Amino acid sequence: MNGLEREKEILEEIKAWEHELQNDNRTDFQRTFSRWLDRKMDEIPDRMKKVFYEKVDASLFNLHSVIQNSFIQQDAKKQIILSARALNEKIIEISDLHFLSVDQLHYLADLQTSKHRLYSFLQGGMTGTGGILLIGADLPLQTILNLRSIQMISMCYGYEINNPYEMMTSLKVYHAALMPKHLQYSQWEKLIEEVDSEDRMGYFYSGNEDLADVKSVEFFLKQIAKLSVLSLFKRKLVAGIPVVSMMVGATSNYHATRQITEFANKFYQYRLINETKQ
């Protein structure tokens, strides 16, 4: 199978995935919770919500920059380039990864996503042990892991993250992936519209930079609710170990990271193929 045929096959896989996103498979409880959250958020004054969303956005921007400039991320970047160079000796920097085929890039990205899903699983299991420090650190650690995973996926597909455009794009992907399943498709369409736009590329991002909203907050509320469940189950011990709470924490964090990394993989695959055709 040549490169064009493989790219066409991948686009068909993405279309099938898009179709799944359009299906609203929520349970009655999930629908009720969503309506309840909407009502509660409507009761909050718009000015207070605006201030809150701005603080969340600022926190994400700052956290993204800290992760991006960390020694760990720089070492991971070098490792990606070394792995890619084993496939093509012409590769010197991240942008050179476009010399590789989509399947080769997906292979590199899959290595990174597998690691981050494992990290998330282990971190969730540790949170399930019930320690106050671990429970308090769960949400910040999950945010760091998931932001970092998207940065790694972006680099694996040849997109450097050290400029405003790529930084904002990765944060938009993160925000879209946080959405409840039934709302991800509308966010996906917005991302694809930007990718297909003729004036999409540049050093600076020219689109809407607002991220946080009521639906993305829903994800964080669910994570907080998860921590409450862990606190309830931590006293159910098996041989002195809170097995139930550990499994709940590990499984919950794993699925959250899996959802986010799958969304990011699909987006950067589509973006790469779309730019190759132009």
Side-chain angles (χ1 to χ4, degrees), residues 40-65:
K40 291 301 180 182
M41 293 301 291
D42 287 339
E43 295 173 3
I44 301 174
D46 290 339
R47 185 173 57 83
M48 290 182 63
K49 285 191 287 189
K50 182 180 179 181
V51 171
F52 174 72
Y53 293 153
E54 287 175 351
K55 289 187 178 297
V56 172
D57 286 350
S59 297
L60 288 175
F61 285 125
N62 292 332
L63 190 56
H64 188 287
S65 296

Side-chain angles (χ1 to χ4, degrees), residues 170-181:
S170 65
L171 284 172
K172 288 274 188 177
V173 172
Y174 174 71
H175 169 260
L178 288 183
M179 288 288 177
K181 275 283 189 180

Side-chain angles (χ1 to χ4, degrees), residues 15-151:
K15 284 183 180 179
W17 176 77
E18 287 178 349
H19 183 71
E20 291 180 9
L21 285 185
Q22 296 178 62
N23 297 327
D24 188 350
N25 296 320
R26 288 178 295 169
T27 63
D28 290 340
F29 174 78
Q30 289 172 323
R31 294 173 191 274
T32 301
F33 176 80
S34 184
R35 289 194 295 269
W36 173 84
L37 179 61
D38 289 340
R39 287 198 302 271
K40 291 301 180 182
M41 293 301 291
D42 287 339
E43 295 173 3
I44 301 174
D46 290 339
R47 185 173 57 83
M48 290 182 63
K49 285 191 287 189
K50 182 180 179 181
V51 171
F52 174 72
Y53 293 153
E54 287 175 351
K55 289 187 178 297
V56 172
D57 286 350
S59 297
L60 288 175
F61 285 125
N62 292 332
L63 190 56
H64 188 287
S65 296
V66 170
I67 298 170
Q68 169 191 317
N69 295 313
S70 67
F71 290 114
I72 294 175
Q73 197 74 334
Q74 294 304 313
D75 288 343
K77 176 181 174 180
K78 292 177 183 178
Q79 186 59 51
I80 290 173
I81 293 174
L82 285 174
S83 298
R85 194 175 296 165
L87 300 172
N88 188 324
E89 60 184 14
K90 295 180 180 179
I91 294 172
I92 305 298
E93 53 190 28
I94 289 295
S95 60
D96 295 334
L97 266 71
H98 290 163
F99 287 129
L100 301 179
S101 68
V102 177
D103 281 331
Q104 289 173 320
L105 296 176
H106 178 65
Y107 169 75
L108 294 176
D110 192 55
L111 290 177
Q112 297 300 325
T113 55
S114 297
K115 290 179 184 177
H116 282 80
R117 290 173 185 176
L118 177 60
Y119 297 156
S120 190
F121 181 86
L122 295 174
Q123 184 264 319
M126 292 174 64
T127 299
T129 60
I132 295 177
L133 182 61
L134 291 173
I135 288 179
D138 179 72
L139 191 54
L141 288 176
Q142 268 289 286
T143 304
I144 290 171
L145 277 172
N146 291 328
L147 277 176
R148 185 173 186 269
S149 68
I150 293 178
Q151 290 184 3

Side-chain angles (χ1 to χ4, degrees), residues 94-95 97-98 151-163 166 201 267-276:
I94 289 295
S95 60
L97 266 71
H98 290 163
Q151 290 184 3
M152 299 297 288
I153 291 170
S154 174
M155 288 191 290
C156 284
Y157 283 99
Y159 299 103
E160 187 60 89
I161 55 171
N162 60 359
N163 68 68
E166 293 301 339
M201 298 303 293
F267 170 75
Y268 283 106
Q269 278 184 338
Y270 179 91
R271 180 182 174 186
L272 179 67
I273 294 172
N274 182 72
E275 292 175 2
T276 301

